[in-house]
Amino acid sequence: LPNRDCDAKASIGEICCTVNKTTGHCDLDTESDCEDGLKEYKETYVQPFIRILKKYSKDVPVVVILEPDSLPNLATNLKHPHCGNKA
């Protein structure tokens, strides 16, 4: 998810709500609606994943498990000034 788990530094940066045009890294100081980051997340991860699931769902049972760490990050980072973009 965009801007999530930014305190860890290990997983931050793949998808950002706002990209710093100079450095190319996440601009964690800019508050936004995260439209760009969410669009990239959907197009890069979600839609290709859904296409694969649809391709095989008639042939094999499909179960989707969200990474367990993602949900707590959504909650714990809400009030963090850099990670808690309200998007």
Side-chain angles (χ1 to χ4, degrees):
L1 297 171
N3 275 33
R4 298 299 176 210
D5 202 19
C6 70
D7 275 332
K9 304 292 186 219
S11 58
I12 182 64
E14 287 187 41
I15 298 181
C16 309
C17 287
T18 305
V19 175
N20 181 309
K21 305 277 189 242
T22 305
T23 65
H25 299 290
C26 289
D27 179 353
L28 299 173
D29 292 322
T30 300
E31 289 190 29
S32 72
D33 62 2
C34 200
E35 183 177 344
D36 293 339
L38 291 171
K39 180 180 178 203
E40 181 182 354
Y41 181 69
K42 288 176 187 175
E43 291 175 354
T44 304
Y45 291 97
V46 176
Q47 290 170 349
F49 188 68
I50 289 170
R51 280 194 294 275
I52 290 170
L53 290 178
K54 284 182 177 180
K55 180 177 179 179
Y56 295 104
S57 65
K58 292 179 183 170
D59 300 321
V60 295
V62 174
V63 175
V64 176
I65 300 172
L66 179 66
E67 176 194 5
D69 194 38
S70 295
L71 294 176
N73 284 337
L74 286 172
T76 58
N77 290 335
L78 280 176
K79 294 188 188 233
H80 188 291
H82 297 291
C83 308
N85 199 311
K86 294 184 188 320

